[in-house]
Amino acid sequence: MRASLAPGVWFLRAFSRDSWFRGFVLLLTFFIYTCYHMSRKPISVVKSRLHQNCSALISPINDTHSLNDTTWCNWAPFDQNNYKELLGAVDDAFLVAYAIGMFISGIFGERLPLRYYLSTGMLLSGLFTALFGLGYFWNIHVLWYFVLIQICNGLVQTTGWPSVVTCVGNWFGKGKRGLIMGVWNSHTSVGNILGSLIAGIWVNGHWGLSFVVPGIIMAAMGVVTFLFLIEYPEDVDCTPPQHHGGPEENQDNPEDPENGPYSNRESSPDTATRCSKEPSAQPAAISFLGALQIPGVIEFSLCLLFAKLVSYTFLYWLPLYIFNVAHFDAKEAGDLSTLFDVGGIIGGILAGLISDYTNGRATTCCIMLILAAPMMFLYNNFGQNGITSSIVMLIICGALVNGPYALITTAVSADLGTHKSLKGNAKALSTVTAIIDGTGSIGAALGPLLAGLISPTGWNNVFYMLISADVLACLLLCRLVYKEILAWKSSMSRNRGSSLALTHPR
């Protein structure tokens, strides 16, 4: 008769299996959202190709345009003097649709299987991304076609973020969530970098391929998602994470700084219990108003509105800014703009690491936002004085701008979506994520639109707008920063009292 496994051996086997599946889900969702951002980036690279200075180019031998035609190399309808406003309208068609759809997407994400929801969204997004590029091969020159495609793409792209954050939140507890999600959230910057590099290959030639190729990759990843995504640990008999200590913890006042959203009393991610095989009632999905009542949701949502305004203005307009100000060609401007996303990777990881160590999400965001404002001013005024200064400042700007954005959309959203006031109902995660990112997406729509309207008056004014938005984002976190400071003071007082009790026992 075989001897049963020792408890220690069983634990090691279970831990190894759980870790393997967690790593697999983390890697798969990383690639999924990398593709989402990769498919959004080509438009910012191709902008400088749609309207350029034709007098500096040599006309083709078989060209039929007159010698006085200074727009022969541009793509109608973007060959007019108001091309910046038209390009801004194309950006905004996507971003407004994305912002509106995001509030609805989280509700669907809670009620539909994530695997079907994500894979369908990726297939449709790949289709619409490719259709934008096919406008080049089909010789389409009407604005409504590009606007309509962007609206449809913006709506289907909302399937991504609430779904992947919910999936990762299902697999990981809170203890090291900031660091884990800081590393994981680099998919945003990696996707932007890949999108820029892929689009740059064809931007000076058949620019339609700059959209068609990312669209094909996106659709292929949708098929992979359908085949391999695992939504819950219980689906493969793995250990679910324990987000909070237990029912008694929920009796605490969630508004108390010591028991706030980021209290030290939360359990570690590795402390989990084997799920019961007995059937249990599924918790009801939370309402939109119910999610808004979770402490911190409104403040972080409004902060993200302005933080994402800044980030997405860089995302959509930085290549054109470099093209116009530093006078690089379209491909070089696109390649140089990827350094902002390299900084974003560094900033996201640092923000997660620091916030885990200090247990202060809001304070970490606030400090990075304070430092970002003067750095944007310096980049606009001195960043084009040399290639070295441009590289260094772009990386620093990317870290300081994208660090808070990354932290709020990942670790903070997951923290609030599994907040102890919900009494263990993790169904709120998708709705909370959608509210926070949906509010942020309003800023993402406003930023490029304002940049398109303001840039004809000078790029300096665009940067003043970005700095103002950055300061407003910082101010919106003041109440939460104050609560975190109170929590730290209370924790230090308790630790000091414990030390005194040990030093002078009765």
Side-chain angles (χ1 to χ4, degrees):
M1 184 176 178
R2 269 182 86 181
S4 61
L5 288 174
V9 175
W10 177 89
F11 171 78
L12 288 174
R13 288 180 62 183
F15 177 78
S16 176
R17 186 173 185 277
D18 287 0
S19 298
W20 190 93
F21 274 106
R22 282 194 175 95
F24 173 76
V25 170
L26 200 68
L27 190 63
L28 180 59
T29 51
F30 178 92
F31 287 134
I32 288 171
Y33 213 69
T34 293
C35 290
Y36 270 93
H37 261 264
M38 175 197 65
S39 65
R40 298 178 195 175
K41 185 64 178 178
I43 183 64
S44 68
V45 177
V46 174
K47 276 179 183 175
S48 54
R49 175 67 175 79
L50 298 177
H51 188 101
Q52 50 190 331
N53 182 10
C54 300
S55 61
L57 301 176
I58 300 175
S59 179
I61 297 175
N62 59 348
D63 186 53
T64 58
H65 293 91
S66 66
L67 295 176
N68 296 326
D69 187 359
T70 58
T71 64
W72 62 267
C73 65
N74 297 328
W75 189 268
F78 307 105
D79 56 346
Q80 307 299 318
N81 291 331
N82 64 338
Y83 74 99
K84 289 183 179 179
E85 288 85 348
L86 296 180
L87 291 172
V90 171
D91 289 342
D92 232 47
F94 174 93
L95 293 168
V96 170
Y98 184 87
I100 295 171
M102 184 59 72
F103 291 103
I104 305 170
S105 180
I107 297 173
F108 282 116
E110 283 185 4
R111 293 160 173 81
L112 298 174
L114 291 183
R115 184 165 63 92
Y116 299 138
Y117 192 52
L118 259 177
S119 55
T120 301
M122 296 185 77
L123 288 169
L124 290 174
S125 182
L127 171 65
F128 290 123
T129 301
L131 283 174
F132 194 102
L134 289 173
Y136 169 82
F137 298 101
W138 295 340
N139 204 30
I140 295 175
H141 294 279
V142 289
L143 183 64
W144 68 262
Y145 173 84
F146 299 105
V147 169
L148 180 62
I149 293 297
Q150 287 288 79
I151 290 173
C152 295
N153 202 8
L155 290 173
V156 297
Q157 283 247 337
T158 60
T159 58
W161 190 240
S163 301
V164 294
V165 172
T166 299
C167 191
V168 172
N170 290 339
W171 280 86
F172 290 89
K174 183 178 177 182
K176 299 294 183 184
R177 189 178 275 164
L179 175 59
I180 291 170
M181 287 196 158
V183 175
W184 175 75
N185 192 63
S186 62
H187 53 50
T188 299
S189 297
V190 172
N192 292 340
I193 292 170
L194 285 176
S196 295
L197 295 177
I198 292 172
I201 296 173
W202 295 285
V203 66
N204 289 320
H206 301 294
W207 60 260
L209 291 173
S210 297
F211 294 88
V212 173
V213 173
I216 293 172
I217 296 173
M218 180 74 163
M221 194 65 201
V223 176
V224 173
T225 300
F226 178 79
L227 294 175
F228 296 106
L229 183 67
I230 305 168
E231 185 176 344
Y232 294 104
E234 296 91 332
D235 293 343
V236 287
D237 293 326
C238 286
T239 306
Q242 184 174 327
H243 297 292
H244 296 285
E248 70 277 6
E249 187 184 43
N250 296 324
Q251 301 302 319
D252 296 327
N253 178 10
E255 289 293 339
D256 186 347
E258 296 181 29
N259 303 314
Y262 315 113
S263 166
N264 281 321
R265 296 175 58 185
E266 307 295 349
S267 60
S268 72
D270 300 321
T271 304
T273 56
R274 177 65 60 177
C275 62
S276 173
K277 297 298 179 183
E278 297 297 324
S280 58
Q282 289 294 319
I286 195 171
S287 67
F288 186 87
L289 291 177
L292 286 176
Q293 293 172 6
I294 299 172
V297 167
I298 292 176
E299 288 94 333
F300 276 116
S301 297
L302 294 175
C303 173
L304 186 63
L305 186 151
F306 292 103
K308 210 167 180 179
L309 183 153
V310 178
S311 180
Y312 267 64
T313 302
F314 274 99
L315 173 68
Y316 280 91
W317 287 90
L318 182 59
L320 186 61
Y321 169 78
I322 295 172
F323 177 81
N324 287 340
V325 177
H327 306 296
F328 288 98
D329 66 28
K331 184 181 186 307
E332 291 171 340
D335 291 346
L336 189 61
S337 70
T338 61
L339 294 171
F340 182 83
D341 294 299
V342 172
I345 296 173
I346 299 169
I349 295 172
L350 283 177
L353 187 63
I354 294 169
S355 69
D356 275 345
Y357 180 76
T358 62
N359 206 27
R361 308 280 199 225
T363 306
T364 302
C365 291
C366 195
I367 291 174
M368 296 185 82
L369 289 167
I370 290 171
L371 295 175
M375 185 52 61
M376 285 189 285
F377 177 82
L378 291 174
Y379 172 69
N380 181 46
N381 287 276
F382 305 105
Q384 310 305 329
N385 290 346
I387 188 65
T388 303
S389 62
S390 182
I391 290 172
V392 172
M393 289 187 179
L394 269 176
I395 292 175
I396 296 174
C397 278
L400 296 175
V401 168
N402 283 342
Y405 161 38
L407 187 63
I408 293 173
T409 53
T410 52
V412 169
S413 295
D415 287 351
L416 297 176
T418 55
H419 190 264
K420 63 188 176 185
S421 65
L422 298 169
K423 303 186 185 301
N425 181 5
K427 282 278 190 179
L429 186 52
S430 183
T431 297
V432 168
T433 301
I435 288 173
I436 292 176
D437 200 51
T439 307
S441 297
I442 296 173
L446 283 174
L449 173 65
L450 292 174
L453 296 174
I454 297 172
S455 57
T457 67
W459 286 104
N460 285 343
N461 295 328
V462 174
F463 274 86
Y464 293 147
M465 179 266 291
L466 296 178
I467 293 169
S468 300
D470 185 85
V471 172
L472 286 172
C474 182
L475 291 175
L476 286 163
L477 292 179
C478 286
R479 188 180 76 89
L480 295 180
V481 170
Y482 176 70
K483 288 181 65 177
E484 288 179 354
I485 292 172
L486 289 181
W488 290 331
K489 289 174 66 177
S490 177
S491 178
M492 290 172 63
S493 298
R494 288 198 305 270
N495 293 337
R496 192 180 301 113
S498 300
S499 300
L500 290 173
L502 293 171
T503 307
H504 303 290
R506 290 185 178 180

